[in-house]
Amino acid sequence: MSPEAGAGATASEPWGEVVADALRRIGSAADLDELQVLEVDLLGRHSAVVAARSGLGAVPAEQRREAGRALNQARAAIEEAMAARRRALEETARAARLDAERMDLTEVRPSRRRGHLHLVTQARDRLEDVFVGMGYRVADGPEAETDWYNFEALNFPAGHPARNMYDTLYLELGPPESVLLRTHTSPVQIRVMEATTPPIYAVMPGRCYRQDTPDASHLPNFHQIEGLVVDRGISFADLAGTLDAFTEAYFGAGFHSRLRPSYFPFTEPSAEFDITCVFCRGEGCRSCGRTGWLELGGCGMVHPNVFRAVGYDPEEWTGFAFGFGIDRMTAQRHGIDDLRELVTNDVRFLQQF
Ligand code: DAH
């Protein structure tokens, strides 16, 4: 394998076999590492071509030129094959790497599925539309609230037992337990009253927080919509009629509401309101505990202390308020039996709505 120039080969093809053998080995190098080793072998310091070059001096002068030319050709052929194989192997390695690093985006192929608003956002928008259609305006307030807005002004003085109904998350801001994540949208009632003079017809949707472990019927972060009416001569009948009109406008013909006595510090009298069960349409089924009704939220006549807190004269103004959970209502409307589906962001679930 180490032909002295011309030895053991024809004069025209002294390197024929060496080159052919080299090209065969280059062609079968499986990857860049193998090619690297081969390059040292075929073109490195101890290779046949380098050895032959140092041996040229021993070649008789009249043959030296020809021998040198043949050697250069042989080396060029090997180098060229080496470079070509390197390019091919690099391309293969690049393709393999791209393939391995590729992200599978097929589940959200934009040509097939367009994005849309989240189910709860759609519900909030529809609720707003229904109330705007009834002459209400939409207002909002901050999610981080002070104790005063979330409790105090709503007639929950410090230490009031009804505060225990709310598993409040406090923020480390100001004096201890003075700033919190609002546990309901009712504080926005206070903000709206402070900023306006009656009459008020407003709804206030938004996010609320409670220290709750998520399960099929609870989320620590959920949505409510609050309603507030303040005007002269507003009665409990107005409240009942409004909720019934809303129920039919939102859920459809054949859906009704009913009120049951309850307690909230900021309303007097207070009630819980139920709607015709969406599953059995009032017949009575497992979902409604055979009553034909599903609980939707709370309501009542605005307590005089709440009016006093915002500087309204309770002798002059009357009003009602209501509040209910959007997530739970949405789940009921679509027959979703686990609220956690609303927040796990599974495209297969979300795209159904
Ligand atoms: N804020 C109450 C809650 O989250 C719900 C509620 C009850 C709102 C009665 C009201 C109301 O406006 O009048 O439990």
Side-chain angles (χ1 to χ4, degrees):
M1 243 275 303
S2 174
E4 298 303 307
T10 61
S12 58
E13 285 281 341
W15 287 89
E17 250 178 63
V18 173
V19 171
D21 180 58
L23 298 196
R24 213 171 23 250
R25 291 173 67 194
I26 289 170
S28 57
D31 55 37
L32 288 163
D33 287 342
E34 262 184 48
L35 197 67
Q36 187 73 35
V37 173
L38 206 50
E39 184 169 28
V40 173
D41 213 23
L42 297 176
L43 297 165
R45 257 188 314 138
H46 303 295
S47 63
V49 285
V50 170
R53 172 153 302 279
S54 13
L56 273 181
V59 174
E62 64 279 13
Q63 291 170 21
R64 202 177 293 149
R65 236 180 96 136
E66 180 54 25
R69 201 186 54 80
L71 174 60
N72 284 343
Q73 271 181 5
R75 201 188 54 201
I78 295 171
E79 280 173 353
E80 202 177 295
M82 187 70 74
R85 184 71 186 148
R86 175 167 292 116
R87 280 194 299 275
L89 287 174
E90 277 169 357
E91 181 49 39
T92 310
R94 205 177 80 92
R97 196 176 62 241
L98 285 183
D99 198 49
E101 290 172 358
R102 200 182 74 212
M103 263 202 280
D104 183 2
L105 298 174
T106 48
E107 282 219 82
V108 285
R109 228 183 297 174
S111 57
R112 287 204 301 165
R113 293 184 198 113
R114 290 171 52 215
H116 60 68
L117 294 177
H118 188 275
L119 179 55
V120 172
T121 310
Q122 293 179 42
R124 193 201 61 203
D125 287 354
R126 267 202 68 221
L127 287 164
E128 289 179 12
D129 286 350
V130 168
F131 282 108
V132 166
M134 290 164 68
Y136 288 58
R137 70 185 175 87
V138 180
D140 64 9
E143 293 172 23
E145 267 296 11
T146 58
D147 180 87
W148 193 78
Y149 283 102
N150 197 84
F151 290 127
E152 192 84 29
L154 289 164
N155 198 32
F156 297 79
H160 192 289
R163 286 187 178 220
N164 299 335
M165 303 189 324
Y166 303 89
D167 302 292
T168 310
L169 289 159
Y170 289 94
L171 298 176
E172 273 186 31
L173 207 65
E177 307 206 339
S178 62
V179 183
L180 45 80
L181 291 175
R182 68 179 178 197
T183 59
H184 51 177
T185 43
S186 302
V188 192
Q189 290 185 28
I190 304 297
R191 290 184 175 275
V192 167
M193 285 190 278
E194 277 181 343
T196 356
T197 41
I200 295 170
Y201 291 80
V203 284
M204 298 143 261
R207 248 178 220 286
C208 305
Y209 303 80
R210 287 184 202 176
Q211 196 170 1
D212 243 340
T213 304
D215 65 25
S217 53
H218 295 86
L219 293 177
N221 181 205
F222 55 97
H223 301 78
Q224 286 189 342
I225 186 165
E226 191 81 12
L228 175 69
V229 167
V230 181
D231 208 337
R232 291 191 170 89
I234 298 291
S235 72
F236 199 86
D238 294 314
L239 167 60
T242 300
L243 289 177
D244 211 47
F246 156 73
T247 303
E248 187 165 336
Y250 188 79
F251 288 92
F255 284 89
H256 300 289
S257 64
R258 73 167 184 183
L259 300 175
R260 284 177 292 113
S262 184
Y263 173 77
F264 297 98
F266 41 96
T267 42
E268 181 59 36
S270 300
E272 311 247 357
F273 73 97
D274 299 341
I275 56 157
T276 309
C277 175
V278 293
F279 300 104
C280 63
R281 299 286 182 117
E283 295 281 304
C285 67
R286 214 163 51 92
S287 298
C288 59
R290 322 237 164 259
T291 61
W293 296 96
L294 286 176
E295 186 182 321
L296 197 58
C299 62
M301 302 306 291
V302 179
H303 196 289
N305 285 348
V306 174
F307 282 147
R308 285 187 195 106
V310 296
Y312 286 5
D313 177 359
E315 297 301 322
E316 180 179 5
W317 300 108
T318 46
F320 65 74
F322 57 85
F324 57 84
I326 302 180
D327 313 78
R328 203 169 285 177
M329 188 201 63
T330 305
Q332 286 169 355
R333 188 154 173 263
H334 292 283
I336 296 160
D337 55 14
D338 191 330
L339 284 184
R340 289 169 295 189
E341 297 277 22
L342 296 174
V343 293
T344 40
N345 270 347
D346 186 331
V347 167
R348 293 163 302 181
F349 169 79
L350 294 173
Q351 71 192 5
Q352 298 175 70
F353 305 100

